[in-house]
Amino acid sequence: MNADSHRPGPGSTGVLADPPPADAGHPPRTTRPARDNRLGAYLRARRDQVTPAQAGIVAPGGRRVPGLRREEVALRAGISADYYLRLERGKDRTPSTQVLDALARALRLDNDEAAYLRALAADPPVVLPRPSVEEVPRTALDLIEALEHPAYVEDAALTVLAANTAAQALNPRLRPGRNQLRDLYLDPDERAMHPEWEGVAACLTASLRYALGAADDPRLAELTAELSRASATFRRIWARHDVRAQRGAVIRLLRPGGGAQAFTREQLRLNGTDGLTLVIYSPRASSEDGPAPASTGPGRPPG
């Protein structure tokens, strides 16, 4: 065995043994098709987001990679560079929980990102049927109509399924059938309402990836294909592979008559539904109160 193939990296708990290659007399460990290497793509994208300085590495000038090299990630995770290369290339797609945890530490993943990493490594993959438009519960419709604040119901793909009068008065695109991500990237009128539109779009993009997880969902494939063709900004943000669970946030909207209004955006999951969410915009006391959406770090969206 090569003496340096299993050296533990900084912060690791010890040497992690590499499993044998799938092509060394052993059956493949996964049923995923060869063309679908989301685990490898995610690992590559995330190591590009970690600078040598963040990893405690003194890097000489002239580096040709924006983030960490493969061997640097492997060293920090306590696995061999050869095994890490197999993971990125899709030769092994079901690493152990111990390896995944070590990679999450090496790549400085937060809880949402680490959970997404584990989902990508789950075997077998989940293939979802084409979903029908889910009916919004009558109780939820009654609730949003009773609210004086803007409120609407969205599905996991961020398509509006129902909206009250206040929501449509605030933003005419918050109506059934409209997709918020499509509007932000492709509709100039929607972008004009958001002083920090690219940050909001990045947050929603990360939330979409997190909500749909590693499953093969036709909604995700069709929407991302459309946006990739039409928007260079989407292609750049989607390539970062950011993931983020939706959380409450302060957003600013420019009103048609001029001036900005700040809102607290909160989400409530609807029990008994397949991922439907009730979204409420609560006006803040002053349009100047509260911070604007801010990045949580390099490559990380607000929210």
Side-chain angles (χ1 to χ4, degrees):
M1 181 180 297
N2 191 328
D4 66 354
S5 64
H6 292 288
R7 288 179 296 178
S12 66
T13 57
V15 174
L16 302 180
D18 294 355
D23 56 358
H26 299 273
R29 299 179 61 189
T30 179
T31 57
R32 282 190 176 89
R35 62 178 176 79
D36 180 14
N37 183 22
R38 279 177 285 182
L39 175 62
Y42 187 61
L43 290 172
R44 286 193 299 274
R46 297 324 300 175
R47 70 178 170 88
D48 283 348
Q49 304 299 322
V50 182
T51 66
Q54 288 174 325
I57 297 172
V58 179
R63 287 175 66 96
R64 292 185 295 176
V65 295
L68 298 182
R69 298 187 175 103
R70 292 189 184 96
E71 58 268 26
E72 291 168 341
V73 176
L75 182 64
R76 285 175 54 81
I79 61 178
S80 73
D82 286 343
Y83 179 50
Y84 181 79
L85 180 62
R86 281 162 49 197
L87 291 174
E88 276 206 3
R89 290 184 173 176
K91 302 297 185 181
D92 189 314
R93 307 192 187 193
T94 55
S96 69
T97 300
Q98 188 181 10
V99 168
L100 291 172
D101 290 344
L103 287 171
R105 291 191 296 270
L107 295 171
R108 299 169 56 89
L109 303 186
D110 63 20
N111 290 339
D112 292 342
E113 293 161 346
Y116 184 74
L117 176 68
R118 289 189 289 270
L120 291 178
D123 192 35
V126 178
V127 180
L128 300 180
R130 175 174 294 277
S132 58
V133 177
E134 185 166 3
E135 183 176 352
V136 179
R138 181 74 252 174
T139 52
L141 294 174
D142 292 340
L143 175 59
I144 64 174
E145 286 303 327
L147 292 172
E148 62 176 312
H149 297 325
Y152 58 94
V153 175
E154 65 184 15
D155 65 12
L158 304 176
T159 298
V160 177
L161 302 183
N164 66 7
T165 302
Q168 296 185 60
L170 174 68
N171 183 345
R173 286 163 294 281
L174 287 177
R175 64 176 188 268
R178 299 289 295 223
N179 182 274
Q180 297 165 83
L181 207 59
R182 180 184 291 113
D183 284 341
L184 265 173
Y185 282 109
L186 304 184
D187 191 319
D189 291 336
E190 180 68 18
R191 292 198 299 272
M193 287 192 66
H194 296 268
E196 303 93 5
W197 82 265
E198 189 169 326
V200 175
C203 183
L204 290 180
T205 302
S207 297
L208 176 70
R209 191 188 285 274
Y210 181 87
L212 297 180
D216 293 316
D217 191 307
R219 294 174 299 182
L220 176 63
E222 292 175 5
L223 180 60
T224 57
E226 176 190 355
L227 294 178
S228 294
R229 289 191 300 268
S231 171
T233 302
F234 175 81
R235 291 195 297 272
R236 172 172 53 81
I237 292 175
W238 187 250
R240 295 200 309 240
H241 288 251
D242 293 331
V243 291
R244 183 76 55 201
Q246 284 206 44
R247 299 180 177 90
V250 175
I251 66 169
R252 298 188 197 281
L253 297 177
L254 295 178
R255 308 301 297 269
Q261 171 69 56
F263 295 86
T264 299
R265 185 182 189 273
E266 290 290 351
Q267 303 90 30
L268 303 171
R269 295 295 295 270
L270 295 179
N271 293 333
T273 68
D274 185 18
L276 299 191
T277 302
L278 170 64
V279 182
I280 303 173
Y281 283 9
S282 300
R284 298 178 68 87
S286 168
S287 61
E288 301 303 321
D289 289 344
S295 174
T296 56
R300 298 195 177 193

